[in-house]
């Protein structure tokens, strides 16, 4: 009971942001990453998506451990976010092109087998999983970068009781 109340302490509530971002990042691996024509392809059979699911789970675990133990884990969250952002950026740039080339190869193979002219391959687009993964990893990076930003110190003026204001 004290642990459940303790995670809502004012100093550590910000760690709910990377906790949710880690869950969203891990979930994005199971959503459609590429949409080819009418068919959507989820990310999880690919190695990239397995890495994303693992990094998202690791980020969520680190954030929850920070909430429970009140220890700072912004540096590891920054590294996890950078790795995830790099993987998601590469997936965003490479995966639709690869799926489009695969669809073109399959349509050409069917055209050869069926002895008909080769038609256009279906277009390949980016699915919601890549966009959610990019957003979640960007949130992790921005949260990790808050360790770099220092809070402005409040300036206190100490007035001496000997001062006479006249």
């Amino acid at each position: 009971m004290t642990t459940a109340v303790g995670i809502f302490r004012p100093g550590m509530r910000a760690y709910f942001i990377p906790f949710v971002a880690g869950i969203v990042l891990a979930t994005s691996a199971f959503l459609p990453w590429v949409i080819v024509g009418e068919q959507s392809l989820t990310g999880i059979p690919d190695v990239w998506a397995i890495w994303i699911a693992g990094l998202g789970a690791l980020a969520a675990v680190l954030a929850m451990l920070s909430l429970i133990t009140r220890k700072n884990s912004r540096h590891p969250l920054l590294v996890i976010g950078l790795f995830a952002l790099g993987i998601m950026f590469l997936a965003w740039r490479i995966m639709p092109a690869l799926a489009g080339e695969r669809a073109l190869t399959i349509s050409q193979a069917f055209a050869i087998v069926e002895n008909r002219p080769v038609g256009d391959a279906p277009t390949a687009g980016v699915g919601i999983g890549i966009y959610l993964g990019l957003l979640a990893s960007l949130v992790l990076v921005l949260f990790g970068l808050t360790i770099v930003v220092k809070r402005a110190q409040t300036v206190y003026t100490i007035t001496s009781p000997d001062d006479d204001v006249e």
Side-chain angles (χ1 to χ4, degrees), residues 37-72:
E38 301 281 324
Q39 186 178 12
S40 62
L41 305 171
T42 60
I44 205 57
D46 273 336
V47 175
W48 295 9
I50 294 171
W51 272 97
I52 289 299
L55 288 172
L58 186 61
V61 167
L62 273 174
M64 184 53 70
L65 285 175
S66 293
L67 283 167
I68 293 170
T69 63
R70 293 189 53 88
K71 301 288 183 191
N72 187 355

Side-chain angles (χ1 to χ4, degrees), residues 55 74-85 140-141 144:
L55 288 172
R74 292 183 188 209
H75 288 104
L77 286 171
L78 174 63
V79 172
I80 289 170
L82 286 172
F83 277 126
L85 186 63
L140 285 173
V141 168

Side-chain angles (χ1 to χ4, degrees), residues 108-132:
Q108 288 173 346
F110 276 115
I112 291 171
V113 169
E114 295 171 354
N115 198 16
R116 61 175 171 83
V118 177
D120 292 334
T123 59
V126 179
I128 188 73
I130 288 182
Y131 290 128
L132 277 178

